[in-house]
């Protein structure tokens, strides 16, 4: 069984119709928004969005609640033009559903206050007014202030791996079906980018593997395959470290050292003065 205990408040209360609280098509946020607005003092100009903010109703929930209130006739809006050419939005909140014609009559009775502020006095600029220049060319070369300039054609031809890079780009459709429609007009740009990778020491197989790893999962549509490859090849990582020659196994710190041919438990290195083959420790033992 359910028991209810209710004391009518003696002050700070608002009378609401049960039709609002029990409305079958209004969500709890819509009911809270409407009852909050109806509880405001007469003459209050608080907007619905401000009420939703005070009631901690999120943006998405506020949009749904406002749409429900407008569909049920509890909220009506109209835009009117005021002095100065500005447009303002009038909102009418009603405790009972109203038709559009009824709401228009009520809104027509309300004066529209303009919040237009007259511009204050401005300090005049120093000097005489001059007209902007409309002829001639800029004196400064714009390339000095332009970022990401395209590489010059003569600089591209200097790459010794250009033909190899061109073949690399031509083999892109074989990597993935997503790269079958690279625009032919982008082949030259992609060739220049691939040549930078090859000049750094990367192999064509490594470049292809880098592109393959950057592709989206299978089945994901790629609307701009050329732009994707350009993005993947834009930054060139450092090339592989050079492999030292088999005969040169010493670090630079031990450069010039020689292995002693004397009897030692472990390999002993020493730095010879001439052509000696024994370390200083083994030389006295041979003389004795």
């Amino acid at each position: 069984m359910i028991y209810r205990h209710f004391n009518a408040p003696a002050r700070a209360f608002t009378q609401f119709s049960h039709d609002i609280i029990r409305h079958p098509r209004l969500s709890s946020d819509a009911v809270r928004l409407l009852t909050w607005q109806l509880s405001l003092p007469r003459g209050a100009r608080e907007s619905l969005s401000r009420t939703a903010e005070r009631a901690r109703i999120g943006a998405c929930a506020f949009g749904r609640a406002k749409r429900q209130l407008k569909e049920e006739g509890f909220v009506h809006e109209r835009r009117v033009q005021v002095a100065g050419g500005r447009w303002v939005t009038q909102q009418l909140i009603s405790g009972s559903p109203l038709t559009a014609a009824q709401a228009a009559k009520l809104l027509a009775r309300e004066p529209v206050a303009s919040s237009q502020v007259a511009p204050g006095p401005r300090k005049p600029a120093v000097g005489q007014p001059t007209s902007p220049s409309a002829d001639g060319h800029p004196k400064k070369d714009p390339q000095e202030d332009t970022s990401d300039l395209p590489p010059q054609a003569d600089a591209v031809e200097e790459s010794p791996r250009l033909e190899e890079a061109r073949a690399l780009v031509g083999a892109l459709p074989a990597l993935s079906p997503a790269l079958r429609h690279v625009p032919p007009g982008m082949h030259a740009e992609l060739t220049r980018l691939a040549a930078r990778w090859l000049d750094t020491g990367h192999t064509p197989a490594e470049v292809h593997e880098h592109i393959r790893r950057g592709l989206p999962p299978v089945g994901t549509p790629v609307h701009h395959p050329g732009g994707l490859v350009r993005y993947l090849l834009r930054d060139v990582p450092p090339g592989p470290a050079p492999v030292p020659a088999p005969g040169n196994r010493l670090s630079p710190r031990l450069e010039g050292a020689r292995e002693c041919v004397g009897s030692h438990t472990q390999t002993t290195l020493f730095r010879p003065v001439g052509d000696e083959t024994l370390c200083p420790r083994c030389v006295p033992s041979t003389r004795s």
Side-chain angles (χ1 to χ4, degrees):
M1 299 180 64
I2 299 177
Y3 300 93
R4 299 177 180 86
H5 177 71
F6 176 75
N7 291 330
R11 56 180 297 275
F13 67 92
T14 304
Q15 292 182 344
F16 298 113
S17 171
H18 290 171
D19 294 338
I20 295 178
I21 302 176
R22 303 173 185 174
H23 200 288
R25 291 179 297 277
L26 292 182
S27 64
S28 59
D29 290 326
V31 173
R32 180 170 172 79
L33 193 63
L34 178 58
T35 55
W36 189 304
Q37 276 281 329
L38 295 177
S39 68
L40 294 175
R42 184 180 298 273
R45 292 289 183 252
E46 182 174 298
S47 63
L48 285 173
S49 58
R50 174 55 182 162
T51 299
E53 181 181 352
R54 294 177 59 192
R56 298 188 178 182
I57 299 176
C60 295
F62 167 65
R64 290 191 297 267
K66 182 179 178 181
R67 183 172 61 253
Q68 293 174 2
L69 293 174
K70 294 177 68 174
E71 291 173 352
E72 299 299 328
F74 292 100
V75 172
H76 293 268
E77 289 183 332
R78 74 167 184 174
R79 289 180 57 81
V80 294
Q81 193 172 19
V82 297
R86 296 176 61 253
W87 289 85
V88 298
T89 301
Q90 284 183 307
Q91 293 180 335
L92 174 64
I93 293 87
S94 172
S96 59
L98 299 176
T99 63
Q102 293 172 334
K105 291 181 180 179
L106 292 176
L107 288 173
R109 301 175 187 174
E110 297 293 333
V112 181
S114 175
S115 59
Q116 180 103 6
V117 179
R122 299 180 59 185
K123 295 181 179 180
V126 178
Q128 298 297 327
T130 58
S131 58
S133 175
D135 59 346
H137 297 279
K139 298 180 180 180
K140 194 173 183 180
D141 188 357
Q143 290 189 356
E144 297 180 7
D145 298 329
T146 304
S147 60
D148 198 16
L149 291 175
Q152 301 296 330
D154 53 355
V156 174
E157 298 297 337
E158 293 178 359
S159 173
R161 312 288 295 275
L162 194 61
E163 291 298 328
E164 193 174 359
R166 187 174 290 110
L168 185 153
V169 173
L172 290 178
L175 296 181
S176 170
L179 302 180
R180 292 177 181 174
H181 302 290
V182 176
M186 295 188 64
H187 283 191
E189 180 183 4
L190 298 181
T191 298
R192 292 194 294 266
L193 295 175
R196 294 171 53 206
W197 282 67
L198 299 179
D199 294 339
T200 311
H202 299 279
T203 64
E206 293 173 349
V207 179
H208 279 169
E209 182 61 26
H210 173 75
I211 297 175
R212 188 182 291 108
R213 288 197 303 266
L215 295 178
V218 179
T220 304
V222 178
H223 301 288
H224 303 284
L228 175 60
V229 176
R230 177 175 57 192
Y231 171 77
L232 295 174
L233 297 181
R234 179 173 299 174
D235 298 327
V236 184
V243 179
N248 185 15
R249 299 180 181 178
L250 299 179
S251 65
R253 185 174 60 87
L254 299 178
E255 190 69 30
R258 179 180 299 176
E259 181 179 350
C260 179
V261 298
S263 179
H264 294 280
T265 304
Q266 296 180 349
T267 302
T268 301
L269 299 178
F270 72 101
R271 195 176 302 277
V273 179
D275 58 351
E276 60 269 22
T277 59
L278 296 176
C279 66
R281 184 179 302 177
C282 295
V283 171
S285 60
T286 56
R287 291 179 180 177
S288 59

